[in-house]
Amino acid sequence: MNKKISAVLGTGIIIISSLASSVWAECNGVEVSVKGKIANNAQAEGATLGVAALNMGGEKFKCAVSGDPQPLMPEGPNFRHTLVCDDKVGADEPQSQITLNTFFVSPLVVTGYCPDIEEGVPNPFGPDSFTFEELSIPDPATARGVFVGADPSDSSITITGDYNCNGGINMKFNGVMCFTD
């Protein structure tokens, strides 16, 4: 299998959902399945930082993940997640990288209350723990290495996750990445 295709989803962020299947057409290039796990932590001002184990078309990748919250806009993404993967490239080549535009696809589901760290001092990671579901779409302008050729109109990755009271975020993802020929 082409290394370019197998590294496409270092993000570990995307599952095909009924929303995605109604929006995107069939892949007109090479379709590659992606799945994996992400472990990250909340950072200051809503950012996230972590690692992803990505399986793309049967090839496995280890990737760093950085999430940047986006301003609340009706049509805009909620986060932009950037993945950089350790795919052992040559000295003159970049590591594979891609940024995903990520959207919440359903309301957050509160799973518990996060107590104050002491009386009158709120938990710095928020008042609640919760579960969530997101949809991620690649931004081809950010693609390097194996992600070059990622087609946002035919790719979709669904992510499900849990956010805990200590700012820990565990996610699973799966979906497809489509690459133009």
Side-chain angles (χ1 to χ4, degrees), residues 6 34 53 129 152 158 174 176:
S6 63
V34 295
S129 59
T158 298
N174 69 33
V176 295

Side-chain angles (χ1 to χ4, degrees), residues 18 124 146 181:
S18 59
V146 299
D181 296 329

Side-chain angles (χ1 to χ4, degrees), residues 34-159:
V34 295
K35 64 181 178 178
K37 295 180 182 180
I38 298 171
N40 60 11
N41 288 325
Q43 303 295 307
E45 299 178 19
T48 61
L49 185 61
V51 295
L54 169 68
N55 183 319
M56 190 168 75
E59 290 191 47
K60 296 179 181 180
F61 298 88
K62 295 182 292 183
C63 307
V65 179
S66 175
D68 293 314
Q70 299 299 295
L72 295 176
M73 296 183 291
E75 300 297 320
N78 301 103
F79 276 88
R80 283 182 48 90
H81 291 100
T82 299
L83 300 170
V84 176
C85 301
D86 177 9
D87 49 352
K88 298 171 182 56
V89 296
D92 294 334
E93 298 177 79
Q95 295 299 133
S96 293
Q97 174 179 323
I98 192 140
T99 297
L100 302 160
N101 290 315
T102 302
F103 304 82
F104 288 113
V105 296
S106 60
L108 304 178
V109 176
V110 174
T111 57
Y113 170 74
C114 299
D116 291 349
I117 55 173
E118 60 183 61
E119 190 171 329
V121 180
N123 185 316
F125 300 109
D128 301 306
S129 59
F130 54 86
T131 63
F132 58 91
E133 184 177 12
E134 300 171 313
L135 176 68
S136 290
I137 302 161
D139 177 351
T142 66
R144 299 176 82 181
V146 299
F147 296 105
V148 171
D151 184 349
S153 62
D154 297 335
S155 300
S156 67
I157 299 168
T158 298
I159 303 163

